Every structure is written in structure tokens, then in C-alpha cells.
Amino acid sequence: MDKDKTYAIAIDGPSGAGKSSLARTAAREIGFVYVDTGAIYRTVGWAALCRGAEDAAAVAALLPETRISMDYGADGAQRMYLNGEDVSEKIRLPEVSMAASRVSALPEVRSFLLDMQRSLAEQSRVIMDGRDIGTVVLPRADVKIFLTASVEDRARRRYQELCQRGTAKDFDQLLREIEQRDYNDTHRAAAPLRPAEDAVVLDTTGNTFQQSLRQILDIIRERIAL
Ligand code: DC
């Protein structure tokens, strides 16, 4: 690996495909910084919920007074701050998922967050996950992976994740919400979710976590001599 080069790895895909946990573990394994851009959108979604900003104009009006920052805790977990307040737990509430999906469709929000995401990739070697990392944020990323899985598989994973957090939810409702978010994310005009032309598409349906991790690390190592 060229010691002076800032490598960037983009992992995009729909909700619940396992991007975060796989990207985080892969980053640890190869010594890269993991950046969860969904958490950044969730922080804007949380800000919109708190301020009751319902429509596009209200959300856009909120942005000039919205300061978003992040750091990494001692355990390596990415922590998100909204105007200095640690909102890392709040942004995981189920209602914030929908709010994040809603605000992420707004071009004003996307351009507001673009520089922040790009400068993170300039500072360190990153594995960045999201929806438009390979297509818009880091179009020159060294490795691009589009991670997907069936809706049922993704709903099952999200269900287990929420149960572990103690915020269990009805499975069918979760499934419908994932379908709705898929629709929102792929049909919005601004940076819709789609694989970059040069992305490797990885379908993890039926895989164990370790199988998917191995496949991701193989794809990375084929393209970057680590
Ligand atoms: O990955 P997640 O579920 O935490 O993301 C929350 C929402 O943010 C999701 O609906 C899609 C949106 N998002 C986006 O539009 N672009 C990104 N790069 C990351 C997330």
C-alpha cells in the first residue's frame, strides 16, 4: 500500500443490507476509519423532528443554524453531535429513520452535507457507507461496493437489531417501512440510490455476517494491495 495515498472505499446500498456493521468491521480489519454517513443524515432528520420542520422550506431554513460534528468514542464508535449535543442514541429511534429518509431527498440538505463528507475522506483512509458515496460524494473512490439483500432478509436483520436495543417493533410494519424507504431512496431526484457504474454489486441474501465480510475484504484486497 502506498503510505502517502489517501485511499477511499465506498459502500452503498439500501437500508438494512448490513452496510454499517460490515463496513465498520472491515475498516477495523484493514486499519481504515469508518464513516457512517446515514448517521449524518439522521442528525439532520433529528434536528427537523425537534424543530417540527415539516416541509422542504422549513428544513432548508433550519440548515444555517445546524452545526453537525462527529468524533469517535474510546470504543471506536462514531458519535454524532447536533449543535454540541451528543445525539448518537436519539438518532437511532425508529421515527428518525423516516425523518432522515425525508430530509435526505432535499437537494439543499445533500449539498449542505457534501463538503463535510468529502473532507472526512481527505483527512484519512476511509470506508464510507451511504447511498450516493460511489456516485456523488467520492466518485473517484478506489473501491466501490454496492451491498444489497432481499427485503425480507433486511427486515429480519433490522428486527433483530431493534430487539437487541430493546426497541422491538412489529415485523410486518418494519418490512413495509423498509419498502417505503427503498422507494423514497431510489425515486428521489437528488442523488437517488443506485450502483455506480464501476461498483461491484454484492448480494448478501442468505449469507452469514462472516461470509459477507470475507467477500468484502476479498474485493478490497483485489483492488488495493494492503
Ligand atoms: O443508512 P441509514 O438507514 O442510517 O440512513 C438514514 C437515511 O439517510 C436513509 O433513508 C437514506 C439517507 N441517506 C442518504 O440519502 N445518503 C447517504 N449517503 C446516507 C443516508
Side-chain angles (χ1 to χ4, degrees):
M1 181 163 68
D2 180 344
K3 290 268 178 291
D4 298 325
K5 186 168 162 20
T6 305
Y7 290 99
I9 299 169
I11 302 188
D12 291 301
S15 305
K19 291 188 303 295
S20 310
S21 45
L22 285 164
R24 186 183 312 114
T25 311
R28 201 182 312 129
E29 190 111 345
I30 62 172
F32 278 39
V33 172
Y34 166 57
V35 180
D36 171 3
T37 64
I40 305 176
Y41 280 92
R42 283 170 180 271
T43 303
V44 179
W46 173 250
L49 274 184
C50 290
R51 299 289 293 273
E54 293 279 338
D55 58 21
V59 176
L62 204 66
L63 297 176
E65 55 193 85
T66 302
R67 265 187 311 111
I68 295 177
S69 53
M70 53 187 269
D71 64 16
Y72 292 88
D75 57 354
Q78 177 179 319
R79 303 208 67 84
M80 295 303 309
Y81 301 87
L82 173 63
N83 299 326
E85 185 201 346
D86 186 342
V87 294
S88 312
E89 268 78 46
K90 288 170 183 149
I91 61 168
R92 299 296 159 191
L93 293 169
E95 60 268 34
V96 183
S97 301
M98 275 300 169
S101 179
R102 198 164 46 80
V103 299
S104 70
L106 305 175
E108 295 88 342
V109 171
R110 305 205 73 84
S111 60
F112 177 71
L113 298 179
L114 195 57
D115 286 349
M116 177 183 182
Q117 295 170 86
R118 285 189 176 151
S119 74
L120 288 166
E122 277 162 17
Q123 288 160 30
S124 332
R125 293 174 173 166
V126 293
I127 296 191
M128 190 173 277
D129 85 4
R131 303 296 190 288
D132 62 340
I133 308 305
T135 50
V136 177
V137 179
L138 305 175
R140 300 178 56 163
D142 300 273
V143 183
K144 298 180 186 178
I145 299 173
F146 190 86
L147 203 67
T148 187
S150 71
V151 175
E152 290 75 16
D153 240 46
R154 292 188 282 127
R156 216 171 297 123
R157 284 183 206 153
R158 198 59 113 198
Y159 180 78
Q160 284 161 0
E161 204 180 294
L162 290 176
C163 286
Q164 278 166 10
R165 285 208 184 103
T167 48
K169 229 178 145 172
D170 178 62
F171 179 80
D172 291 330
Q173 191 191 339
L174 213 54
L175 193 90
R176 284 193 299 275
E177 282 181 9
I178 286 191
E179 282 172 339
Q180 181 64 51
R181 286 171 66 200
D182 281 357
Y183 185 88
N184 292 352
D185 294 348
T186 53
H187 285 75
R188 67 183 177 218
L193 172 66
R194 63 173 175 82
E197 273 171 21
D198 50 350
V200 180
V201 178
L202 189 60
D203 187 332
T204 65
T205 305
N207 271 6
T208 63
F209 180 82
Q210 286 303 330
Q211 284 168 330
S212 300
L213 179 64
R214 180 68 30 226
Q215 288 173 327
I216 287 173
L217 289 171
D218 285 349
I219 293 167
I220 293 172
R221 289 187 174 123
E222 270 166 25
R223 283 158 184 81
I224 304 177
L226 295 170

